[in-house]
Amino acid sequence: MRANYVPYPRPSHNSISLTPDAAESKVILAGWLVSRRKGGKGLSFFGLKDARGTIQLVATESEAASILHQINLNSTVLVQGVARMRPEHQRRPHPGGNMEVAVHSVTLLNPADSPLPFDPQDERNLANEHMRLQYRYLDLRRSSLAENIKRRSEVAYTVRTVFHEEGFTEVETPILLRSTPEGAREFLVPTRLSAARVSALKHSEGAESPKKPLFYALTQSPQQPKQLLIASGAVDRYYQLARCFRDEDGRKDRQPEFTQVDLEMAWVSWGEHEESVGASRDATGNTTIATQGTDHWRIGGAEVRDVVERIVQRVWAKMEGIELPEHFRVMTYSEAMARYGSDKPDLRFGLEVQDITPHLPTALREVLERRGEIIEALCVRNSSDTDAPFFNAAAQLSKSETQIVQGFQLSDSTDTSWLCQNRVLSDVSGDIQLEDGAASINRALMLDQGGYIWLSRRRRKPEGGSTDLGRVRLELATLAESLQDFTMPSKPHFLWVTEFPLFTRADADKEFLAHGRWSSSHHPFTAPMWQDVEKMYSGDIEAVRGQHYDLVLNGVEIGGGSVRIHDAVMQDYVFQNILELDKQEKASFNHLLHALRCGAPPHGGFAFGFDRLMAILCKTESIRDVIAFPKTGAGTDLLFRSPAKVRTSIMAEYGIQPL
Amino acid sequence: MRANYVPYPRPSHNSISLTPDAAESKVILAGWLVSRRKGGKGLSFFGLKDARGTIQLVATESEAASILHQINLNSTVLVQGVARMRPEHQRRPHPGGNMEVAVHSVTLLNPADSPLPFDPQDERNLANEHMRLQYRYLDLRRSSLAENIKRRSEVAYTVRTVFHEEGFTEVETPILLRSTPEGAREFLVPTRLSAARVSALKHSEGAESPKKPLFYALTQSPQQPKQLLIASGAVDRYYQLARCFRDEDGRKDRQPEFTQVDLEMAWVSWGEHEESVGASRDATGNTTIATQGTDHWRIGGAEVRDVVERIVQRVWAKMEGIELPEHFRVMTYSEAMARYGSDKPDLRFGLEVQDITPHLPTALREVLERRGEIIEALCVRNSSDTDAPFFNAAAQLSKSETQIVQGFQLSDSTDTSWLCQNRVLSDVSGDIQLEDGAASINRALMLDQGGYIWLSRRRRKPEGGSTDLGRVRLELATLAESLQDFTMPSKPHFLWVTEFPLFTRADADKEFLAHGRWSSSHHPFTAPMWQDVEKMYSGDIEAVRGQHYDLVLNGVEIGGGSVRIHDAVMQDYVFQNILELDKQEKASFNHLLHALRCGAPPHGGFAFGFDRLMAILCKTESIRDVIAFPKTGAGTDLLFRSPAKVRTSIMAEYGIQPL
């Protein structure tokens, strides 16, 4: 049968808007024919699905019924008939499930092939992902995937609504930006402008080889444009749902293009004293104020974090019906690393790591002190109620070949083999006798018969994103879940992690502009904590904490931000004296430095990874499930068959050719 | 002086929120010091500007005053003091103009250089555009530019709000898409994936030369993704404020990246009968229903145009305080070309074109008939009230060397020299006597002494976007405005233009996929009017009208859309038999054809050019004035100094090298 295109009347309802109000009235609906069966007394029943739900159609022996029986499932039809409520015992909870339509006439709008590559109604037997990506227009018909796409729109609109209530201005920043001297992770866009052509346009690029091709680069984040925007004073609160691009070949579950909820605010302070924060905040009882060495000062950017909290609160209230606390818990990086072995700790369960150095023999303590190291332990106690859900997992993990560090089970509460036979200790203990006082360590750690313990040695000053025991902790939770001993609490656990080291030894992380001994832990625009500014200038770089804050949800970093450097002198010092940028690299920041010298206000901002946030809200593992037309992990688009070859003659227009 | 970063208190107000409610209370404000003067009695007055307005600061001889006198203008400061209402005679209409702050203390947050490259407070003496683009972060501090950026955000949010009220789902479609076989106007993005690598990933690209580089292309519009999305059934109403990219070197006031308000709807009908539209629509008195040959049927997509109208109405109500009619005027392409000589007629003034063929001698009429041509006239009558504002312009234009066609002034009402001495006619009249009956033509056209007339010959079936007389008409209006004889009405004149020819002779427009004799006037997915489907299949291609609709405002096309082909057989016929695509070109649409065969609903959509819309709303000529960080007309970014050269070693990673 052929598709129909003679004008037909507008549908009067869809499966959602067809409510009992419409009962007994004439209605017109359009949708996909998704099921059919014959009942008794010449009746036939059909499922009519639209983008919102599914309505049952009822037809007697008629031309309409005959059309609906003949055409292929998944064809689109327009039906006219009379709406009625379904008998009470037949009502279904799905959208459209309490109404039906007695069909009088049917127009076939567009017939579907039969069979289709796979059945988009079958949520239980999914085709393999390659097929589903290739025929994404069929897979998107699947209700759960369609639901994700709609939730994404709801969340985006909710987020925008809060931004507008808070006086933010949405500003679109360029996607075609300048390539950076490193060029790593960056997509290039060749242009038909050659160096010579641009030079003729009086651009200051210099008059070199006339054919030298010129490139834009796709923005990796709106970081520089948004700082320049705030420096301009055009707006004091900026936001954007910004598309960003990163050429990260081979990282799991990354997309070459992704979306960031991006914000920046002017007049952000470099800190607030705890007292000035007021009693209401402490009254939540949920706020751990980082006091270690900060003299009761919070790091700056509280104005930003307040807005972020209100956004997250609104989203969770609207999408999940959950009321979150007014302020989220705050934890320093040091504390997070010490207690949970992670800079993005999952607080939905306990299993805290302990520093057992103080319980060790003095001689060993002195060795460790000299090495700047500590010994940490993770215990799963047999008699502990809170550890109980992890006991079987501990048993399983301690026998596993692949465990990160060796786990010991105690034969009784005085068993000290875990201490004396542990390579973690023997590597540094030399001929120090560990047995002496070992029993008292057991008591101090409340170790009991049958309990498990894992040990690890690390530098006292934490580095990186996780420790061995942090990974053991997560593995235990995953195992316990799979053994069904443990169910993750459904309540979301939000956490701010603050006071990260501002700089990282370049040998530990070579990612960003690392020529000298130091690289920026996050990016070179992050401000130091004001208490640490003098340390920075005096060369105690390792001790400088940054005004960076990560937002962590259930062990996943969903966003991060910072107070930025607004002082051109300080920014220049960071570029020149700490990061030791070369001339060309520094030149690429000249406009930023100049903007700071034109009276830039103090400012700070934040960015959420929107795809990851949506994956969490849609309770799916892969961000591909929350993107309408995603690419594979390798960056190929199976639907549009991209990337693709290009004719050499077209490349030539851009001044390039194949290698 | 140095920038300050020791924590300071949060500002309590900005220049907008500081209202008389705050009078006599302690306040904290932050902003740019933009002016200062000394008054009598030791008083000093300062202007403190923030992103929302400007507040006057008053200081007595004090440390605060001394700081404010010493620092450079454009520095950022935090001031603490007491708010008060300004004396009645000193209140100013600008935001913040009725309050002042008696300053007690001042913190210099960030000192500005002096002098700056130009003064961003000086709206009257703008620096040249090159300077302003290079230091865009200074130019954006200029109030009128900042205002445009904020208006853009307001409009975007208003548009989104209407979409959400109307049940639309916002969906982000890919920016990294596949390059098309033509590749014209397209930005390419080289990838680190080579053909060999992708082949190894079991992608179907084929195993060719291992080093053959592969490219994404930046999306020119979300046309294909949005059609696939609607075909999927995941959503029935889609929208997106989509960033699009087009490599149109050298076109005036174009940007390589631009924003489109994009929508698409399922279940769009192929037409509505005039009767079914209902009395309320006709009651607006503003709707010209195109009846010529359409048997009182409107073209399809009325559902789409209704939504577009509601969006435009809301935007004009909110931003301009103007209530627009419920439905906009509709005019066919033929009528627009006949009456206004333009497919985007400016209806703010008259000066209609007339077909004078019926008044010509029979012999000449027959010649024209054989040639398929007509003679048109544009008259500016001396005695006509409506023509009066254009009389001086007509006098000037008729003497201009550069006029498109010759204009004649009548020495008296029987002067027929305009007819007899006109090359437009003499080229075709041969030895036909034109004097006979010429006087009666003057009477029929109501030509009077001193009046002006322009003639032009054209094919009866209109082609392209404008006629000679259409251009004369616009030139007359521009001249009349510059002579201050005529003021354009401020009321916006919206118009739908419909019933465009679906196909254009390929020799007239080679832009899109033109191998055969015909190319698509808009794009190859536009549906024919249902009345013309048979003509299409029977080969009367020229006669086929498309279901395309342009939205025109004051002579500017601000958007366009169409009902799409949902029938795979018809789409295939268009590709194969009319456009005569080659195998490779057709293959690039295979996924679309297959999606149509999977039960795609009838659908249609629309897209606004958002930058152009904002330029109109901001009453500026250039879209650069409504984009935060625009590029020059040539595509260079003077702020980020882009495009730029890239190291050969980096190009090599992408399998390319300079030509």
Side-chain angles (χ1 to χ4, degrees):
Chain A
M1 272 181 269
R2 274 188 65 175
N4 216 313
Y5 46 77
V6 169
Y8 52 84
R10 291 194 196 193
S12 64
H13 293 80
N14 60 41
S15 60
I16 291 282
S17 67
L18 191 70
T19 60
D21 290 347
E24 308 313 322
S25 60
K26 283 189 183 175
V27 296
I28 309 175
L29 284 96
W32 285 264
L33 180 71
V34 291
S35 64
R36 58 187 156 209
R37 64 185 171 83
K38 290 193 175 179
K41 303 176 192 169
L43 285 179
S44 294
F45 300 93
F46 307 92
L48 182 77
K49 178 184 150 103
D50 61 24
R52 296 161 198 251
T54 305
I55 286 275
Q56 174 164 279
L57 309 178
V58 186
T60 51
E61 284 169 9
S62 63
E63 199 198 330
S66 137
I67 293 173
L68 290 172
H69 277 296
Q70 279 169 51
I71 64 178
N72 290 335
L73 291 181
N74 284 298
S75 299
T76 49
V77 292
L78 183 93
V79 299
Q80 307 196 42
V82 171
R84 55 194 197 203
M85 297 220 50
R86 296 183 71 173
E88 202 143 349
H89 64 280
Q90 287 181 15
R91 290 183 198 157
R92 297 286 176 273
H94 67 254
N98 58 358
M99 299 294 292
E100 64 185 18
V101 175
V103 178
H104 298 161
S105 76
V106 171
T107 308
L108 172 64
L109 297 175
N110 208 2
D113 281 1
S114 180
L116 297 177
F118 54 85
D119 179 3
Q121 314 309 332
D122 188 350
E123 288 269 4
R124 295 200 188 167
N125 302 296
L126 296 188
N128 69 54
E129 193 175 17
H130 189 286
M131 283 278 279
R132 288 189 289 116
L133 287 172
Q134 183 180 354
Y135 301 105
R136 188 69 169 180
Y137 43 87
L138 263 192
D139 202 29
L140 282 167
R141 198 172 293 169
R142 200 154 49 85
S143 301
S144 63
L145 193 50
E147 208 48 52
N148 291 352
I149 302 303
K150 282 179 267 191
R151 284 175 77 84
R152 185 176 176 119
S153 171
E154 274 301 298
V155 172
Y157 190 62
T158 304
V159 166
R160 287 198 169 95
T161 302
V162 179
F163 275 125
H164 278 263
E165 287 171 7
E166 303 265 349
F168 279 73
T169 302
E170 181 184 11
V171 180
E172 299 175 62
T173 56
I175 283 178
L176 297 174
L177 271 180
R178 183 192 170 95
S179 61
T180 54
E182 302 72 41
R185 300 171 165 208
E186 208 170 51
F187 284 109
L188 298 174
V189 181
T191 66
R192 288 190 286 180
L193 293 160
S194 68
R197 173 84 204 288
V198 167
S199 186
L201 290 163
K202 300 204 174 165
H203 186 272
S204 57
E205 198 61 41
E208 295 218 6
S209 149
K211 289 208 165 173
K212 199 116 188 174
L214 294 178
F215 296 80
Y216 301 119
L218 297 181
T219 181
Q220 294 186 54
S221 100
Q223 185 64 33
Q224 284 197 50
K226 75 175 174 177
Q227 285 193 244
L228 293 174
L229 181 73
I230 293 293
S232 81
V235 304
D236 49 15
R237 302 184 148 204
Y238 142 91
Y239 89 92
Q240 184 181 198
L241 269 68
R243 199 77 63 88
C244 303
F245 302 84
R246 212 165 289 167
D247 188 9
E248 286 180 307
D249 188 24
R251 291 228 199 163
K252 196 182 154 256
D253 205 27
R254 296 276 175 130
Q255 290 284 311
E257 53 185 307
F258 57 96
T259 302
Q260 192 162 301
V261 178
D262 194 48
L263 65 135
E264 193 80 10
M265 295 165 73
W267 318 118
V268 163
S269 176
W270 279 43
E272 277 184 309
H273 197 272
E274 194 184 332
E275 281 174 17
S276 73
V277 174
S280 72
R281 176 163 303 188
D282 300 333
T284 66
N286 213 354
T287 310
T288 302
I289 293 176
T291 54
Q292 188 188 4
T294 64
D295 197 22
H296 294 271
W297 283 88
R298 301 168 167 282
I299 65 163
E303 302 90 336
V304 178
R305 294 193 298 279
D306 285 356
V307 169
V308 169
E309 286 173 350
R310 287 196 286 271
I311 289 168
V312 169
Q313 282 154 6
R314 188 79 66 88
V315 168
W316 254 258
K318 189 169 167 75
M319 306 305 291
E320 302 284 280
I322 291 176
E323 196 172 329
L324 297 175
E326 188 191 348
H327 289 290
F328 301 160
R329 199 168 158 183
V330 180
M331 193 179 283
T332 64
Y333 168 75
S334 298
E335 184 183 352
M337 292 296 283
R339 290 173 60 188
Y340 301 97
S342 170
D343 64 353
K344 40 179 189 284
D346 191 337
L347 301 187
R348 288 175 298 175
F349 58 97
L351 290 182
E352 290 193 24
V353 174
Q354 286 174 280
D355 177 4
I356 67 163
T357 322
H359 304 297
L360 296 174
T362 313
L364 181 52
R365 282 212 312 272
E366 285 168 2
V367 171
L368 290 167
E369 180 74 23
R370 273 199 304 278
R371 300 174 64 102
E373 291 179 341
I374 57 171
I375 305 291
E376 292 181 320
L378 180 66
C379 309
V380 177
R381 297 172 187 87
N382 194 3
S383 59
S384 157
D385 284 351
T386 50
D387 291 356
F390 305 100
F391 192 81
N392 290 329
Q396 193 167 317
L397 182 64
S398 72
K399 287 183 200 101
S400 153
E401 295 273 311
T402 60
Q403 58 183 326
I404 302 152
V405 286
Q406 197 182 0
F408 284 80
Q409 182 175 29
L410 274 69
S411 56
D412 60 60
S413 64
T414 59
D415 177 0
T416 58
S417 60
W418 64 272
L419 189 68
C420 308
Q421 294 164 24
N422 203 313
R423 214 168 42 242
V424 165
L425 285 174
S426 60
D427 282 356
V428 286
S429 57
D431 47 11
I432 298 168
Q433 285 300 310
L434 294 169
E435 282 80 1
D436 303 347
S440 72
I441 299 182
N442 277 18
R443 278 194 301 279
L445 297 178
M446 291 183 290
L447 291 175
D448 52 10
Q449 184 186 4
Y452 291 90
I453 186 163
W454 284 262
L455 288 194
S456 170
R457 199 177 84 231
R458 69 163 172 95
R459 290 193 66 210
R460 176 173 294 280
K461 192 158 181 62
E463 286 172 342
S466 64
T467 67
D468 287 344
L469 293 186
R471 290 187 286 272
V472 167
R473 177 179 178 266
L474 292 179
E475 215 169 314
L476 284 173
T478 307
L479 269 174
E481 264 198 302
S482 71
L483 294 170
Q484 303 193 326
D485 290 342
F486 172 65
T487 309
M488 279 288 181
S490 60
K491 185 175 161 242
H493 284 61
F494 285 96
L495 172 74
W496 290 110
V497 179
T498 64
E499 303 191 22
F500 286 84
L502 183 55
F503 302 103
T504 310
R505 277 176 202 284
D507 53 22
D509 179 350
K510 284 203 182 287
E511 287 203 344
F512 196 80
L513 294 171
H515 296 295
R517 290 174 47 222
W518 297 99
S519 66
S520 295
S521 303
H522 293 96
H523 59 56
F525 320 114
T526 309
M529 287 176 64
W530 68 271
Q531 300 90 329
D532 296 349
V533 168
E534 290 315 316
K535 287 182 192 154
M536 187 174 84
Y537 285 121
S538 68
D540 186 7
I541 308 301
E542 190 173 18
V544 180
R545 293 159 300 169
Q547 298 202 59
H548 179 95
Y549 30 86
D550 268 351
L551 182 58
V552 173
L553 166 59
N554 300 344
V556 178
E557 182 215 314
I558 61 169
S562 61
V563 177
R564 327 297 185 186
I565 297 173
H566 61 274
D567 175 6
V569 176
M570 187 184 287
Q571 184 69 73
D572 197 53
Y573 184 88
V574 168
F575 286 154
Q576 188 107 27
N577 299 61
I578 299 180
L579 302 176
E580 298 177 37
L581 302 194
D582 67 31
K583 206 178 133 201
Q584 197 196 357
E585 286 165 347
K586 230 196 95 183
S588 72
F589 297 113
N590 275 348
H591 53 288
L592 179 69
L593 287 170
H594 185 249
L596 297 183
R597 288 205 311 272
C598 292
H603 58 288
F606 191 80
F608 292 95
F610 190 54
D611 305 287
R612 178 60 50 209
L613 183 75
M614 284 314 306
I616 292 173
L617 280 165
C618 293
K619 295 163 186 69
T620 173
E621 288 295 308
S622 169
I623 62 171
R624 289 193 289 278
D625 290 339
V626 297
I627 297 173
F629 298 105
K631 294 181 180 54
T632 64
T636 57
D637 187 323
L638 303 179
L639 168 58
F640 294 101
R641 287 173 302 131
S642 163
K645 285 171 295 197
V646 160
R647 285 184 202 149
T648 315
S649 62
I650 289 176
M651 286 187 228
E653 287 188 38
Y654 294 92
I656 57 173
Q657 59 180 333
L659 195 62
Chain B
M1 272 181 268
R2 274 188 66 175
N4 216 314
Y5 45 76
V6 169
Y8 53 84
R10 292 193 196 193
S12 64
H13 294 80
N14 60 41
S15 60
I16 291 282
S17 68
L18 191 69
T19 61
D21 291 347
E24 307 313 324
S25 60
K26 283 191 184 175
V27 296
I28 308 174
L29 285 96
W32 286 264
L33 181 71
V34 292
S35 66
R36 58 186 156 211
R37 65 185 170 83
K38 288 196 175 175
K41 301 178 193 168
L43 284 179
S44 294
F45 300 93
F46 306 91
L48 182 76
K49 179 185 149 102
D50 61 24
R52 295 159 199 253
T54 304
I55 286 275
Q56 175 164 278
L57 308 179
V58 186
T60 52
E61 283 169 9
S62 62
E63 199 198 330
S66 137
I67 293 174
L68 290 172
H69 277 295
Q70 279 171 49
I71 63 178
N72 290 335
L73 291 181
N74 283 298
S75 299
T76 49
V77 293
L78 184 94
V79 298
Q80 307 196 42
V82 171
R84 54 193 196 204
M85 297 219 52
R86 296 183 70 172
E88 201 142 350
H89 65 281
Q90 287 181 13
R91 291 182 198 157
R92 296 287 176 273
H94 67 252
N98 58 357
M99 299 294 291
E100 63 184 20
V101 175
V103 177
H104 297 162
S105 77
V106 171
T107 308
L108 173 64
L109 297 175
N110 207 2
D113 281 0
S114 180
L116 297 177
F118 55 84
D119 178 3
Q121 314 309 332
D122 189 350
E123 289 269 4
R124 293 198 189 170
N125 303 297
L126 295 188
N128 69 54
E129 194 176 16
H130 188 287
M131 282 278 280
R132 288 189 287 117
L133 287 173
Q134 184 180 351
Y135 302 106
R136 188 69 169 180
Y137 44 87
L138 262 191
D139 202 29
L140 282 167
R141 200 173 291 169
R142 198 155 50 86
S143 301
S144 62
L145 194 50
E147 208 47 53
N148 290 353
I149 302 302
K150 281 179 266 192
R151 285 175 75 83
R152 185 177 176 118
S153 170
E154 274 301 299
V155 173
Y157 190 62
T158 304
V159 167
R160 287 199 168 95
T161 302
V162 179
F163 275 124
H164 278 263
E165 288 172 7
E166 302 266 349
F168 279 73
T169 303
E170 181 182 13
V171 180
E172 298 176 63
T173 57
I175 284 180
L176 298 173
L177 271 181
R178 183 193 169 94
S179 61
T180 54
E182 301 72 42
R185 301 170 163 206
E186 210 171 50
F187 284 110
L188 298 174
V189 181
T191 65
R192 288 191 285 182
L193 293 160
S194 68
R197 172 86 204 287
V198 167
S199 185
L201 289 163
K202 300 204 175 164
H203 185 272
S204 57
E205 200 61 41
E208 296 216 6
S209 147
K211 288 210 165 170
K212 199 115 189 174
L214 294 179
F215 296 80
Y216 301 118
L218 297 181
T219 180
Q220 295 187 52
S221 99
Q223 185 64 33
Q224 285 197 48
K226 76 176 174 176
Q227 285 193 244
L228 293 173
L229 181 73
I230 293 293
S232 82
V235 305
D236 49 15
R237 302 184 147 203
Y238 142 92
Y239 89 93
Q240 183 180 198
L241 268 68
R243 198 76 64 88
C244 303
F245 303 83
R246 213 167 287 168
D247 187 9
E248 286 180 309
D249 188 23
R251 291 227 199 166
K252 195 180 154 258
D253 204 27
R254 296 277 175 130
Q255 290 283 313
E257 53 185 305
F258 56 97
T259 302
Q260 191 163 303
V261 179
D262 195 48
L263 65 135
E264 192 81 8
M265 295 165 72
W267 318 117
V268 163
S269 177
W270 279 43
E272 276 185 309
H273 198 273
E274 193 184 330
E275 281 175 16
S276 74
V277 174
S280 71
R281 175 162 304 188
D282 299 332
T284 65
N286 213 354
T287 309
T288 303
I289 294 176
T291 54
Q292 189 190 2
T294 63
D295 198 21
H296 294 270
W297 282 87
R298 301 167 168 282
I299 65 162
E303 303 89 336
V304 177
R305 293 193 298 280
D306 285 356
V307 168
V308 169
E309 286 172 350
R310 287 196 286 271
I311 289 168
V312 169
Q313 283 154 4
R314 187 79 66 89
V315 168
W316 255 259
K318 189 170 169 75
M319 305 306 291
E320 302 284 280
I322 290 176
E323 196 172 329
L324 297 175
E326 189 191 347
H327 289 291
F328 301 160
R329 199 169 158 182
V330 180
M331 193 180 285
T332 64
Y333 168 75
S334 297
E335 184 183 352
M337 292 296 283
R339 291 174 61 188
Y340 301 97
S342 170
D343 66 351
K344 39 179 190 285
D346 190 336
L347 300 187
R348 288 176 298 176
F349 58 96
L351 291 182
E352 290 193 24
V353 174
Q354 287 175 279
D355 176 5
I356 66 164
T357 322
H359 304 297
L360 297 174
T362 314
L364 181 53
R365 283 216 308 274
E366 286 168 2
V367 171
L368 291 166
E369 179 73 23
R370 273 198 305 277
R371 300 174 63 103
E373 292 179 343
I374 57 171
I375 305 291
E376 291 182 320
L378 180 66
C379 308
V380 177
R381 298 173 186 87
N382 194 2
S383 60
S384 158
D385 285 353
T386 49
D387 290 356
F390 305 100
F391 192 81
N392 291 329
Q396 193 168 317
L397 182 63
S398 72
K399 288 183 201 101
S400 153
E401 297 271 312
T402 59
Q403 59 183 326
I404 301 152
V405 287
Q406 196 183 1
F408 285 80
Q409 182 174 29
L410 275 68
S411 56
D412 61 59
S413 65
T414 59
D415 176 1
T416 56
S417 60
W418 65 271
L419 189 67
C420 308
Q421 294 164 23
N422 202 313
R423 216 171 37 244
V424 165
L425 286 173
S426 61
D427 281 357
V428 286
S429 58
D431 46 13
I432 298 167
Q433 286 300 310
L434 293 168
E435 283 81 0
D436 303 347
S440 72
I441 300 182
N442 277 19
R443 279 195 300 280
L445 296 178
M446 292 183 292
L447 291 175
D448 52 11
Q449 185 186 3
Y452 292 90
I453 187 164
W454 283 262
L455 289 194
S456 169
R457 199 177 83 230
R458 69 161 170 98
R459 290 194 68 210
R460 177 173 294 280
K461 192 158 180 64
E463 285 173 341
S466 64
T467 68
D468 287 344
L469 294 186
R471 289 186 287 271
V472 168
R473 178 178 178 265
L474 291 178
E475 216 169 312
L476 284 171
T478 307
L479 268 174
E481 266 200 301
S482 72
L483 295 169
Q484 304 194 327
D485 291 341
F486 172 65
T487 310
M488 279 288 181
S490 60
K491 186 178 160 238
H493 285 61
F494 285 96
L495 173 72
W496 289 110
V497 180
T498 63
E499 304 192 22
F500 287 84
L502 183 55
F503 302 104
T504 310
R505 276 176 203 285
D507 53 21
D509 179 350
K510 285 202 182 290
E511 287 202 343
F512 195 79
L513 293 171
H515 295 296
R517 290 173 48 220
W518 297 100
S519 67
S520 295
S521 303
H522 293 95
H523 59 56
F525 319 115
T526 310
M529 287 175 66
W530 68 271
Q531 301 91 329
D532 296 348
V533 169
E534 289 315 315
K535 288 181 191 154
M536 186 175 85
Y537 284 120
S538 67
D540 187 6
I541 308 302
E542 191 173 16
V544 180
R545 294 159 299 168
Q547 298 203 59
H548 179 94
Y549 31 84
D550 267 351
L551 181 59
V552 173
L553 166 59
N554 301 343
V556 178
E557 182 214 313
I558 60 168
S562 61
V563 178
R564 327 297 185 186
I565 298 173
H566 61 273
D567 175 5
V569 176
M570 186 184 287
Q571 184 69 73
D572 197 53
Y573 184 88
V574 168
F575 287 154
Q576 187 107 25
N577 298 62
I578 300 181
L579 302 176
E580 299 177 36
L581 301 194
D582 67 29
K583 205 177 133 200
Q584 198 195 356
E585 286 165 347
K586 231 196 92 181
S588 72
F589 297 114
N590 275 348
H591 53 289
L592 179 68
L593 286 171
H594 184 249
L596 298 184
R597 288 205 310 272
C598 293
H603 58 290
F606 191 82
F608 291 95
F610 190 55
D611 305 286
R612 178 58 53 208
L613 183 76
M614 284 314 306
I616 293 173
L617 280 165
C618 294
K619 295 165 187 66
T620 173
E621 289 294 308
S622 169
I623 62 171
R624 289 193 288 278
D625 290 339
V626 296
I627 296 173
F629 297 105
K631 294 180 179 58
T632 64
T636 56
D637 187 323
L638 304 180
L639 168 59
F640 293 102
R641 287 173 303 131
S642 161
K645 285 171 295 196
V646 160
R647 285 184 202 150
T648 314
S649 61
I650 288 175
M651 286 188 229
E653 287 187 38
Y654 294 92
I656 58 173
Q657 60 180 331
L659 196 62

